[in-house]
Amino acid sequence: MSPAVVFNTRSVTTIFRSAKSPIHLLQGRILSQHIATTRHTTTGVFTSVALASASGRTIITTPPSSSLSLASTPRRITTATTLRSTSTSTSKAATNMADIDVETVLKGKYPAKAHAKRVVEYIRSKVPDATGVLFLEGRSDHLLEDSDEPVPFRQRRPFMYLTGVDIPDCAFIYDMETAQSTLFIPPVDPESVIWTGLPLSIEEALAKYDVDNVLPTTELNPMLAKLGAANAKSTVFAIPERFSNDATFLQFDNKDLSVLAEAIDECRVVKDDYEIALIKKANQISSAAHRAVLENVRKVKNEYELEGVFIGNCMRQGAKKQAYPSIVASGRAAATLHYVHNDKEVTGKDLLLIDAGAEWSTYAADITRTFPISGRFTEQSRAIYEIVLQMQNDCIAMLKEGVWWDDVHVRAHEIAIDGLLSLGILKGNRKEILEARTSTAFLPHGLGHYLGMDTHDTGGHPNYADPDPLFRYLRVRRNLPAGSVITVEPGIYFCEFIIKPFLTDPKHSKYIDENVLNNYWDVGGVRIEDNIVITKDGSINLTEAVKDPDEMEKIILGS
């Protein structure tokens, strides 16, 4: 999913967020970085970038830069504590994802007890000899203001991670000493049964979820009182502002409201085979829906028709929820990173960019494709598309366990610079352009983000106060562990509102040929986004949506 861009024209500041919406960082949610700093270097791999040009196809060799631009951004080595969540079994599972039988894996239960054990391990790495209980409440049902209709339900992700339960008004206790988990579900309300039918029974919940016990929520406080009184050293671990006044911790002398959210956020980074199967399922559904959009693009007149094609196709495959609001941007609108209107006519425009992904059992797909509405790329749009495709291919080729994400992000900028130099949009010295950060006019956002239950998943440790504009909006600032899932979504955009200030700034204008640039405004923007599992020796692409430009043209024209 593309980053949003927010402009404060009053203070003339530009903020690029690698997000669909502004980030809200709750106090204590982000792990303080205990890191070792080493000098930052790059590898000496050379890559060939094939670019379309007016005279034919030219091959441009693009060695990675070892420029001073990276010296101020030190490598962060993830501590043993942070890596504790990367179990051997998880790493082995991640290496086998290419052959995973999604349907077979998903016949099992969501591995909630394994997640709880990992969270307890993390807490004890921070609070030695910690004992007591983990307590979480799920989200409650609410009504819309001035209405008797419900607010669309979205389960709290920490609760989902420890239970696998996607129904409202539940609670959960995990006894750290006995490793026993207890799910509390609402009792039968006869009046509700009239309208909505019978709720999940205790027997059904035990059969469906990976928990040891199921009780009605009327037993919650007695259970808390019993556990708190049993051991004077017990601590109740909870997340602030995530439990109601109905829950009482009076029998617990010790309460910790700081570490549980952090522990869950960090453990969520490394996925087990079940979680990756969920993400792969979401990708399979979304990839089919993206193909349906290609097959229908010449039949529609408006962007919202294609949004309907995508969502309808997902629903026909059983995915009733989208992971995020779709971006369906035609022509110059594709230069708006977080385009929300999806209501403009597509006739007579060059490209269409669709950033859309389904959700499957709360896990997200996040896929972007860009293609010609007519079925044929123009010379300009094909050239830009091939640069972006090479950016993505080269960046994916770099991925494996331990790779520092900053390096991959820089590589995307290097290829973008070389491509734009070959087209004449940029001019001058490649190293100087990178050091000046002029390429951020065309690629203003981060290369990607973690993916999981949240489209922009937890544990990336972004630094939005970074004075370097190249890295400020990069959502992941760490070495990638095996089992993590990350998006790779390079792009090149021709947004007048972003680029025009660069044209009037001597620091940047000397590197941009405005006469050549003027031939590319109608391209709008190109972004290509896939979802990648990191393995010990490489990576596995979970996204099957077509991105080869020739194949996309065939599908569009064949429809």
PDB file of all heavy atoms in Angstrom, residues 361-374:
ATOM      1  N   SER A 361      -9.124 -13.749   7.439  1.00  0.00           N
ATOM      2  CA  SER A 361      -9.014 -14.051   8.868  1.00  0.00           C
ATOM      3  C   SER A 361      -8.097 -13.056   9.567  1.00  0.00           C
ATOM      4  O   SER A 361      -7.205 -13.443  10.334  1.00  0.00           O
ATOM      5  CB  SER A 361      -8.526 -15.491   9.088  1.00  0.00           C
ATOM      6  OG  SER A 361      -9.472 -16.413   8.606  1.00  0.00           O
ATOM      7  N   THR A 362      -8.298 -11.799   9.263  1.00  0.00           N
ATOM      8  CA  THR A 362      -7.606 -10.618   9.828  1.00  0.00           C
ATOM      9  C   THR A 362      -6.209 -10.402   9.264  1.00  0.00           C
ATOM     10  O   THR A 362      -5.550  -9.413   9.624  1.00  0.00           O
ATOM     11  CB  THR A 362      -7.525 -10.631  11.369  1.00  0.00           C
ATOM     12  OG1 THR A 362      -6.557 -11.572  11.828  1.00  0.00           O
ATOM     13  CG2 THR A 362      -8.881 -10.913  11.999  1.00  0.00           C
ATOM     14  N   TYR A 363      -5.702 -11.272   8.383  1.00  0.00           N
ATOM     15  CA  TYR A 363      -4.365 -11.075   7.804  1.00  0.00           C
ATOM     16  C   TYR A 363      -4.479 -10.475   6.408  1.00  0.00           C
ATOM     17  O   TYR A 363      -5.377 -10.819   5.643  1.00  0.00           O
ATOM     18  CB  TYR A 363      -3.584 -12.391   7.786  1.00  0.00           C
ATOM     19  CG  TYR A 363      -2.987 -12.696   9.141  1.00  0.00           C
ATOM     20  CD1 TYR A 363      -3.786 -13.169  10.180  1.00  0.00           C
ATOM     21  CD2 TYR A 363      -1.649 -12.470   9.408  1.00  0.00           C
ATOM     22  CE1 TYR A 363      -3.255 -13.426  11.437  1.00  0.00           C
ATOM     23  CE2 TYR A 363      -1.102 -12.718  10.657  1.00  0.00           C
ATOM     24  CZ  TYR A 363      -1.917 -13.194  11.673  1.00  0.00           C
ATOM     25  OH  TYR A 363      -1.383 -13.432  12.920  1.00  0.00           O
ATOM     26  N   ALA A 364      -3.538  -9.601   6.084  1.00  0.00           N
ATOM     27  CA  ALA A 364      -3.664  -8.719   4.925  1.00  0.00           C
ATOM     28  C   ALA A 364      -2.812  -9.153   3.743  1.00  0.00           C
ATOM     29  O   ALA A 364      -1.723  -9.718   3.901  1.00  0.00           O
ATOM     30  CB  ALA A 364      -3.267  -7.292   5.320  1.00  0.00           C
ATOM     31  N   ALA A 365      -3.327  -8.850   2.557  1.00  0.00           N
ATOM     32  CA  ALA A 365      -2.512  -8.743   1.341  1.00  0.00           C
ATOM     33  C   ALA A 365      -2.420  -7.262   1.000  1.00  0.00           C
ATOM     34  O   ALA A 365      -3.328  -6.487   1.315  1.00  0.00           O
ATOM     35  CB  ALA A 365      -3.145  -9.511   0.190  1.00  0.00           C
ATOM     36  N   ASP A 366      -1.336  -6.866   0.370  1.00  0.00           N
ATOM     37  CA  ASP A 366      -1.119  -5.458   0.011  1.00  0.00           C
ATOM     38  C   ASP A 366      -0.402  -5.434  -1.333  1.00  0.00           C
ATOM     39  O   ASP A 366       0.817  -5.597  -1.395  1.00  0.00           O
ATOM     40  CB  ASP A 366      -0.311  -4.771   1.102  1.00  0.00           C
ATOM     41  CG  ASP A 366      -0.173  -3.274   0.893  1.00  0.00           C
ATOM     42  OD1 ASP A 366      -0.708  -2.764  -0.113  1.00  0.00           O
ATOM     43  OD2 ASP A 366       0.459  -2.602   1.733  1.00  0.00           O
ATOM     44  N   ILE A 367      -1.160  -5.244  -2.407  1.00  0.00           N
ATOM     45  CA  ILE A 367      -0.632  -5.402  -3.767  1.00  0.00           C
ATOM     46  C   ILE A 367      -0.941  -4.157  -4.584  1.00  0.00           C
ATOM     47  O   ILE A 367      -2.060  -3.642  -4.536  1.00  0.00           O
ATOM     48  CB  ILE A 367      -1.265  -6.632  -4.453  1.00  0.00           C
ATOM     49  CG1 ILE A 367      -1.010  -7.907  -3.636  1.00  0.00           C
ATOM     50  CG2 ILE A 367      -0.734  -6.796  -5.877  1.00  0.00           C
ATOM     51  CD1 ILE A 367      -1.804  -9.112  -4.116  1.00  0.00           C
ATOM     52  N   THR A 368       0.041  -3.690  -5.348  1.00  0.00           N
ATOM     53  CA  THR A 368      -0.173  -2.577  -6.264  1.00  0.00           C
ATOM     54  C   THR A 368       0.262  -2.978  -7.666  1.00  0.00           C
ATOM     55  O   THR A 368       1.322  -3.584  -7.852  1.00  0.00           O
ATOM     56  CB  THR A 368       0.626  -1.326  -5.841  1.00  0.00           C
ATOM     57  OG1 THR A 368       0.319  -1.006  -4.480  1.00  0.00           O
ATOM     58  CG2 THR A 368       0.276  -0.138  -6.720  1.00  0.00           C
ATOM     59  N   ARG A 369      -0.568  -2.639  -8.631  1.00  0.00           N
ATOM     60  CA  ARG A 369      -0.232  -2.833 -10.038  1.00  0.00           C
ATOM     61  C   ARG A 369      -0.577  -1.566 -10.808  1.00  0.00           C
ATOM     62  O   ARG A 369      -1.531  -0.843 -10.479  1.00  0.00           O
ATOM     63  CB  ARG A 369      -1.014  -4.015 -10.631  1.00  0.00           C
ATOM     64  CG  ARG A 369      -0.574  -5.374 -10.088  1.00  0.00           C
ATOM     65  CD  ARG A 369       0.849  -5.695 -10.498  1.00  0.00           C
ATOM     66  NE  ARG A 369       1.286  -7.008 -10.066  1.00  0.00           N
ATOM     67  CZ  ARG A 369       2.021  -7.224  -8.976  1.00  0.00           C
ATOM     68  NH1 ARG A 369       2.363  -6.192  -8.195  1.00  0.00           N
ATOM     69  NH2 ARG A 369       2.418  -8.447  -8.663  1.00  0.00           N
ATOM     70  N   THR A 370       0.206  -1.302 -11.854  1.00  0.00           N
ATOM     71  CA  THR A 370      -0.002  -0.151 -12.724  1.00  0.00           C
ATOM     72  C   THR A 370       0.036  -0.642 -14.166  1.00  0.00           C
ATOM     73  O   THR A 370       0.939  -1.404 -14.536  1.00  0.00           O
ATOM     74  CB  THR A 370       1.098   0.912 -12.501  1.00  0.00           C
ATOM     75  OG1 THR A 370       1.244   1.152 -11.085  1.00  0.00           O
ATOM     76  CG2 THR A 370       0.738   2.214 -13.201  1.00  0.00           C
ATOM     77  N   PHE A 371      -0.925  -0.202 -14.973  1.00  0.00           N
ATOM     78  CA  PHE A 371      -1.017  -0.749 -16.323  1.00  0.00           C
ATOM     79  C   PHE A 371      -1.733   0.240 -17.246  1.00  0.00           C
ATOM     80  O   PHE A 371      -2.420   1.166 -16.778  1.00  0.00           O
ATOM     81  CB  PHE A 371      -1.769  -2.082 -16.302  1.00  0.00           C
ATOM     82  CG  PHE A 371      -3.061  -2.038 -15.545  1.00  0.00           C
ATOM     83  CD1 PHE A 371      -4.226  -1.598 -16.138  1.00  0.00           C
ATOM     84  CD2 PHE A 371      -3.101  -2.429 -14.217  1.00  0.00           C
ATOM     85  CE1 PHE A 371      -5.417  -1.548 -15.441  1.00  0.00           C
ATOM     86  CE2 PHE A 371      -4.291  -2.381 -13.496  1.00  0.00           C
ATOM     87  CZ  PHE A 371      -5.455  -1.939 -14.115  1.00  0.00           C
ATOM     88  N   PRO A 372      -1.583   0.061 -18.572  1.00  0.00           N
ATOM     89  CA  PRO A 372      -2.196   0.995 -19.520  1.00  0.00           C
ATOM     90  C   PRO A 372      -3.697   0.727 -19.676  1.00  0.00           C
ATOM     91  O   PRO A 372      -4.114  -0.417 -19.910  1.00  0.00           O
ATOM     92  CB  PRO A 372      -1.448   0.719 -20.822  1.00  0.00           C
ATOM     93  CG  PRO A 372      -1.008  -0.710 -20.704  1.00  0.00           C
ATOM     94  CD  PRO A 372      -0.729  -0.945 -19.251  1.00  0.00           C
ATOM     95  N   ILE A 373      -4.481   1.767 -19.572  1.00  0.00           N
ATOM     96  CA  ILE A 373      -5.931   1.630 -19.676  1.00  0.00           C
ATOM     97  C   ILE A 373      -6.334   1.146 -21.071  1.00  0.00           C
ATOM     98  O   ILE A 373      -7.263   0.349 -21.225  1.00  0.00           O
ATOM     99  CB  ILE A 373      -6.603   2.973 -19.333  1.00  0.00           C
ATOM    100  CG1 ILE A 373      -6.334   3.320 -17.858  1.00  0.00           C
ATOM    101  CG2 ILE A 373      -8.102   2.939 -19.611  1.00  0.00           C
ATOM    102  CD1 ILE A 373      -6.700   4.740 -17.476  1.00  0.00           C
ATOM    103  N   SER A 374      -5.620   1.592 -22.075  1.00  0.00           N
ATOM    104  CA  SER A 374      -5.944   1.231 -23.457  1.00  0.00           C
ATOM    105  C   SER A 374      -5.478  -0.169 -23.829  1.00  0.00           C
ATOM    106  O   SER A 374      -5.915  -0.733 -24.831  1.00  0.00           O
ATOM    107  CB  SER A 374      -5.305   2.225 -24.422  1.00  0.00           C
ATOM    108  OG  SER A 374      -3.887   2.076 -24.405  1.00  0.00           O
TER     109      SER A 374
END
